[in-house]
Amino acid sequence: MIAEPNAAGNLPSQKENAVHDETVPESAVQNGSCVRNGNPKTPREKRKVREQCENIRRNSSSSRRVSQLQNGEVVEAVTLFEVVSMGKRAMQSVVDDWVEAYKQDRNVALLDLINFFIQCSGCQGMVTAEMFQSLHKKDVMRKMTETFDEETGLQYKKFMAYPWILTVTWPVDMDNEDYPLIRTGPYWKKFKANFCEFIAVLVQQCQCSILYDSYLMDTVISLLTGLADSMVRAFRHTSTLAAMKLLTAVVSVHLNLDVNKHNAQRLYEVEKKRISGKRTNYRLDQLERKRKEYEQKLLEIQNMMNAIFKGTFLNRYRDVIPEIRATCIEEIGSWIKTYPDAFLNDSYLKYIGWMLYDKQAEVRLKCLLGLQGIYSRKELVSRMDLFTSRFKDRIVSMPLDKDHEVAVQAMKLLMLMSQNCEDVLSAEECETLYQFVYTTHRPLAVAAGEFLYKSLLSHEGDEEVQPKGGGKFGASTDQLKRLIRFFLESELHKHVAYLIDSLWDWAGKFLKDWECMTALLLKNAEEDGEALSDAHESALIEIILATVREAAEGHPPVGRGAAKKILSVKEKKIQLEDCTKITEHFIMVLPQLLAKYSTDAQKVANLLQIPQYYDLGVYSTGHLEKHLDALLREVKDIVAKHSDMSVLEASSRTYYILCREEIAIYNQVDRARTQLIDELMRQLNQLLGGFWQKEEGFCMDAGEISRMHSALRRIAAFHNAHDLTKWNLYDKTLKLLVFEMEHGSLPVLMILPALQCTYFSLLWQLAEVSENSPKETLFALRRELRHFSQICMCFLHHKGKDVREKAFMILCDWLLILSHQDSNNNEEAVGLLDYLPNTSLQEKLLLFIQEHVFIEEEEESKDLTEEEERKEESCKLDDLHKKRSLLAAYCKLIVYNVVEMTAAAEIYKYYVKTYNDFGDIIKETLSRTRHNNKIQSAKTLILCLQQLFQTHAESQDSSNGVDFSSASFTNMKELARRFSLTFGWDQVKSRESVAMIHKEGIEFAFQGATGVDGKCLPPNLSFLLIISEFSNKLLKPDKRLVYAYLQRYIAEPLPCKGEEWQPLIWYRNSLLASEDEESSVLGSSGEWSPMGTSKMSSFKRKLSNGSLPETSQTEAASKAPDLQCASQLASAAGKSRKRLKSREMHLQEHLPFLCPGGLRRRYCKDEIKTEGVSEEGQAEDTIEDIDVDVVGADQDS
């Protein structure tokens, strides 16, 4: 079985880590591990080896399986690889069987183990073994080769596995990059775990016997070292994993031996003291032998560890494959944590530190996880000083890692370092890390929240040691004050909801202590001199609102998390308990808080949002109606005191939440609401009565204007959520608007709320339209709708900027509602009330956008103080927000087909120029319109470019032509490039749109050409440079189709040598970029070939089954012209080809505007002539060739 060694070829050895990434393929062979003598030399022998590799599957059952009769049943023995990959047997029993076989015949068992590692690498070839016998080192190195035999197609690897030299032979199949460790599927998902378990159990079971026989481990280590040095990825990956797990298992054995050695040493010393003065006895000799045996075993284990570390780890921790590097770093972290006495030193730690800079996130992650295991143990941290000082800056920067999981683990590592290392992080570094609680990625924010809570908010002894004067809330009060201080000191962020969400998992207990929070707010300064300041009170109220929202809703705030998470049963139970706790507490406390802060608009606006999270049934079940009365009284007083819109809207929403018909408290709240509205309307009627009684009603003093403004704002805030139709508000506010239209003298403070109230009144009337509504009511409502629209159109030209913007926003929303309202499925009502803007109104809306959004105001240079600059910057941001709202409102009209899609062409012109401010809105509009109608959207894009080109041409000197280097032309090309990028990578999906752009562009470029033959220079020819930006979005067949469409505009050969014809040449180049033959001809000649004699005189198109999207046949037929081109393709090499009958609907279905319905073919009606096809032609055209006449025609746009 074991033969004499044979000579081996001499190939240069591989340098350390200079490996190429190759993959061992899985051939048709399975369990093929033939043990043969020697190495095949002659071609005949090599072919024989290859045949055996290919056919060994058929022979595997007879050569590898031994059938035995046990209890009347046939039982087949299987290989180690099959047992481990199936994982159906206990690993310990598998290893025990192998150990027994090793004790009987170690060569056979060891070869089975070698075969196991080879098969685990995915290699299904042959293993050939030859005995190593006292060769000189030079001769041995000559045998260590890895080569590929081109004649047989076999890969050979020869390496040392003491006491053998092994040759692995396998057929190469580069298309199959697959081996067990990376395979997917249910069968292989546990292979890696089973493989690692097998190695660990093997060492464990051998540690008391054959592990130290100087044969088993030497062979396995040399085998794995040889495989790990292979150029083949599968060998390197599998053997590196095996070697690292083997070293991990050996480290565990070393620890056990070390413990046993110390125990034996202690027993020896005790026994020696016991028999001091006496002669040595048998017991002492036995302990001495035991101790020396352990020392010898420890020495052998140490040699094994050094061999594996130096032979495998040092070569592979820098491997080109990230999985291999990650495996090495993961295991060295395990060794350091398991056996710190041997591995916790800078000689080993440096590898982890270096790999913190690895380009692959997987490797960086393994480094951080390994370091967490070290820094979590205080007894080990003291030995990490040098490493910490060297790599701390890198670790501190890693929460900014682009990989989210790496950032999270870096934050956790920094938390462990701050806890177990004194003064390792400076105050500035901690402050920087604390700010991650505001990040949008929730896992990182939660990790930062844990860091913040344990470092700043939670101190040991908080619950046991009560601060003086703190009462029963002492510990929680102290934590709250620290939290408030942190929130106010973080000047970069004011998002308290993000802060609370980050701390929720760690500080949920004290964040739900609403009793402590409200007690702190209601505390008087006389009782405790440490009462909160105004800023601290505002921050605490925001924190209360954020904690109430988090507890009641149970999901992260907007912007953190893709969607609302589905709560488990336990989480729902906790959520319901929290809602009940919130309701029972704030029902009694909220009126007191509102009373205390009734004059502070910001605090009141936040407090009034708490009732929306109530469990309103508690009012009736707990008999707490008196607290409801108190709440309603406070809200009524707040409405009377404030005119701030945020306070009024919060009050209106509170009434809306409490006034639900299905709950028991409805009647009580409805009475209070009616009384409040009556009071507000009475005040408004008094002010309006005094206004209309004056002869010159518009002459009002500032006090009257302010009172009128406040009254109208209160009514508008409540009219938004409550139907006030029975108070006849519409006539009162409409009269003010009509007065303003006629006289134009009302102050803006009165016009804005009056416009809002009128709008809400009509919306409530529109919502009341039902199936039984009489026609008289519908006609009256229709007149009111038309009248209000005229008023808004009139106000678009108002002298007040705020009035113009408010009128535009209302008009856009109004048009959108009227064009998409269903009126409870009342078709007659829809027909009467439907209202689409006419051309004049659409032009006014577009003009408004151009004047108020895209025209930049000239800035005057002023010397401003820092405070004035801050205010000016704030005003600019507010102004930008208003502009974005105006543009978004208009773009919604385009997206929902209220105005014509072509109006978007004017918006698209500013895409590049205003990209930073409005790019996201314009891009979303483009995407939505393309989703609605791909063809019309493409026409809008080309219309935008055409308009810009015409403007550019008019500004240029006609005698000099178009200046390609001018800024405006460059901007056009950039805009076209940006448009082409919006089509994405799916060329099939966008093929119709891109083809339409080319068609419209070609027609525009040749528009206005004089003469039928087209010899004169078209005035718009340089427009072809613009649409050439879309050529890379065309499929190869569509490029030919567009090129053929371009050809129809060139009837005769043209002398295209002048610079003025360069756009045509450049555009043709972009269409023929993939056609090497045509491109080379074009590049060499620089001229156009005649239509009848050029290589592209007709259009040859290849169609592959199922690769083209279908288009409506009706649309195609409606755009069919009657023009025809020649349809003869002359081959460049004179090759003949087969002419096949074309299905006329193919091109008509796919690109109807380029291949219309009137397709004609020049072939005999009765027969189709088939010419000879050369072999080269067949090899070149693997798809059916269809010859068609490309017919172009004008289409109605």
Side-chain angles (χ1 to χ4, degrees), residues 480 483-485 487 496 499-500 510-511 514 517 536-549:
L480 278 173
L483 177 61
I484 294 169
R485 198 178 306 116
F487 175 61
V496 68
L499 173 61
I500 296 302
F510 94 88
L511 289 177
W514 296 294
M517 298 179 188
H536 284 67
E537 287 178 340
S538 298
L540 181 54
I541 290 175
E542 290 185 44
I543 290 172
I544 290 174
L545 177 59
T547 55
V548 168
R549 188 207 65 81

Side-chain angles (χ1 to χ4, degrees), residues 285-471:
D285 293 339
Q286 187 181 25
L287 290 174
E288 177 67 15
R289 287 194 302 273
K290 197 82 168 176
R291 186 173 61 82
K292 290 183 179 180
E293 179 185 349
Y294 285 138
E295 289 178 353
Q296 181 64 30
K297 287 184 177 180
L298 281 172
L299 182 61
E300 292 184 23
I301 290 293
Q302 190 65 43
N303 292 334
M304 296 176 194
M305 292 166 55
N306 291 334
I308 298 174
F309 186 83
K310 294 178 180 178
T312 303
F313 180 89
L314 290 181
N315 295 330
R316 297 280 67 83
Y317 84 97
R318 294 176 295 173
D319 197 277
V320 295
I321 305 302
E323 291 89 345
I324 298 177
R325 301 199 300 272
T327 298
C328 293
I329 296 302
E330 181 181 14
E331 294 306 315
I332 195 175
S334 173
W335 307 332
I336 295 174
K337 184 179 178 182
T338 305
Y339 193 14
D341 292 339
F343 290 96
L344 186 55
N345 55 65
D346 298 323
S347 299
Y348 295 98
L349 286 171
K350 64 183 180 182
Y351 300 111
I352 298 181
W354 291 343
M355 302 313 287
L356 286 171
Y357 297 89
D358 196 276
K359 293 183 179 180
Q360 294 296 324
E362 180 184 2
V363 181
R364 300 195 300 273
L365 182 61
K366 296 299 183 183
C367 294
L368 293 172
L369 294 175
L371 291 174
Q372 286 179 18
I374 300 171
Y375 278 101
S376 61
R377 297 168 58 179
K378 288 188 177 182
E379 68 273 13
L380 302 181
V381 171
S382 60
R383 300 156 67 178
M384 298 283 292
D385 293 340
L386 182 60
F387 178 89
T388 302
S389 62
R390 170 64 179 83
F391 295 103
K392 186 193 74 172
D393 292 341
R394 170 58 180 163
I395 299 173
V396 170
S397 69
M398 292 185 77
L400 292 171
D401 197 282
K402 63 181 180 180
D403 185 84
H404 290 320
E405 186 60 26
V406 172
V408 172
Q409 298 304 327
M411 183 63 71
K412 292 182 178 180
L413 175 60
L414 288 166
M415 182 186 63
L416 292 173
M417 292 172 65
S418 67
Q419 289 176 346
N420 298 326
C421 302
E422 295 182 1
D423 302 327
V424 66
L425 297 176
S426 65
E428 293 78 10
E429 289 170 337
C430 288
E431 288 296 328
T432 302
L433 296 174
Y434 292 157
Q435 298 303 315
F436 282 94
V437 296
Y438 296 106
T439 186
T440 55
H441 182 60
R442 192 173 190 274
L444 177 57
V446 171
E450 182 184 6
F451 185 25
L452 172 63
Y453 177 71
K454 293 182 177 179
S455 302
L456 190 65
L457 303 180
S458 176
H459 294 312
E460 293 182 2
D462 270 349
E463 298 181 359
E464 292 79 7
V465 180
Q466 302 290 343
K468 292 183 179 180

Side-chain angles (χ1 to χ4, degrees), residues 928-1133:
R928 295 288 188 93
T929 53
R930 184 175 295 155
H931 178 74
N932 294 340
N933 190 326
K934 292 188 291 186
I935 299 300
Q936 190 61 34
S937 176
K939 289 184 176 181
T940 304
L941 291 181
I942 199 67
L943 176 63
C944 170
L945 297 173
Q946 289 171 0
Q947 292 175 353
L948 286 173
F949 182 84
Q950 289 175 337
T951 305
H952 170 77
E954 291 171 359
S955 64
Q956 298 289 319
D957 186 2
S958 59
S959 60
N960 297 331
V962 178
D963 183 9
F964 300 150
S965 62
S966 63
S968 58
F969 193 85
T970 304
N971 291 337
M972 272 190 294
K973 279 185 66 67
E974 176 62 18
L975 181 61
R977 188 185 71 85
R978 294 286 189 94
F979 285 163
S980 70
L981 292 177
T982 62
F983 287 101
W985 296 100
D986 193 347
Q987 292 179 313
V988 175
K989 184 179 179 181
S990 60
R991 66 180 305 190
E992 293 184 2
S993 302
V994 176
M996 174 58 71
I997 289 175
H998 282 275
K999 174 189 176 297
E1000 296 283 336
I1002 291 171
E1003 292 176 356
F1004 177 77
F1006 289 94
Q1007 192 176 28
T1010 57
V1012 180
D1013 54 3
K1015 290 184 178 180
C1016 297
L1017 182 71
N1020 300 333
L1021 188 67
S1022 56
F1023 187 73
L1024 293 176
L1025 281 179
I1026 305 298
I1027 61 172
S1028 65
E1029 296 290 340
F1030 297 91
S1031 297
N1032 62 337
K1033 296 298 179 182
L1034 284 169
L1035 292 171
K1036 186 176 179 180
D1038 294 345
K1039 284 185 178 181
R1040 299 175 179 177
L1041 187 61
V1042 171
Y1043 174 74
Y1045 189 75
L1046 175 68
Q1047 289 282 66
R1048 64 183 289 270
Y1049 289 92
I1050 311 298
E1052 298 292 339
L1054 292 179
C1056 302
K1057 295 181 179 179
E1059 291 185 1
E1060 64 274 7
W1061 289 95
Q1062 284 301 314
L1064 187 60
I1065 298 176
W1066 289 338
Y1067 180 58
R1068 185 172 184 255
N1069 269 336
S1070 69
L1071 294 178
L1072 300 178
S1074 60
E1075 302 293 334
D1076 296 335
E1077 195 174 69
E1078 288 85 352
S1079 296
S1080 61
V1081 172
L1082 177 66
S1084 60
S1085 65
E1087 299 182 359
W1088 290 91
S1089 301
M1091 275 290 294
T1093 60
S1094 76
K1095 296 179 182 180
M1096 293 298 295
S1097 59
S1098 69
F1099 175 59
K1100 173 183 177 181
R1101 184 167 189 204
K1102 298 180 181 180
L1103 291 173
S1104 59
N1105 244 345
S1107 63
L1108 302 178
E1110 294 186 359
T1111 307
S1112 170
Q1113 297 183 13
T1114 306
E1115 180 184 1
S1118 65
K1119 300 179 181 179
D1122 290 329
L1123 299 177
Q1124 182 177 358
C1125 297
S1127 68
Q1128 179 182 3
L1129 179 65
S1131 174

Side-chain angles (χ1 to χ4, degrees), residues 548-610:
V548 168
R549 188 207 65 81
E550 186 84 21
E553 294 183 353
H555 59 79
V558 177
R560 179 178 285 177
K564 295 182 179 180
K565 66 177 184 179
I566 300 176
L567 301 179
S568 63
V569 176
K570 182 179 179 180
E571 290 173 333
K572 287 181 179 178
K573 182 180 178 181
I574 295 174
Q575 183 183 16
L576 293 175
E577 292 175 352
D578 289 340
C579 284
T580 304
K581 183 180 177 181
I582 291 169
T583 307
E584 292 175 348
H585 177 69
F586 283 99
I587 276 178
M588 294 179 286
V589 176
L590 184 59
Q592 303 174 40
L593 294 173
L594 292 174
K596 180 176 180 179
Y597 300 108
S598 60
T599 58
D600 192 317
Q602 181 184 359
K603 294 185 179 70
V604 167
N606 287 327
L607 289 171
L608 284 175
Q609 296 182 49
I610 295 178

Side-chain angles (χ1 to χ4, degrees), residues 642-682:
H642 292 273
S643 60
D644 184 83
M645 208 60 191
S646 61
V647 176
L648 296 175
E649 288 178 351
S651 302
S652 175
R653 181 169 178 79
T654 300
Y655 276 102
Y656 176 77
I657 294 295
L658 298 175
C659 198
R660 297 178 183 174
E661 296 184 2
E662 66 272 11
I663 59 178
I665 61 174
Y666 169 75
N667 293 329
Q668 185 179 353
V669 180
D670 186 46
R671 284 195 303 271
R673 179 182 62 174
T674 303
Q675 293 173 3
L676 176 60
I677 301 299
D678 287 339
E679 182 68 23
L680 296 178
M681 289 302 300
R682 184 164 56 253

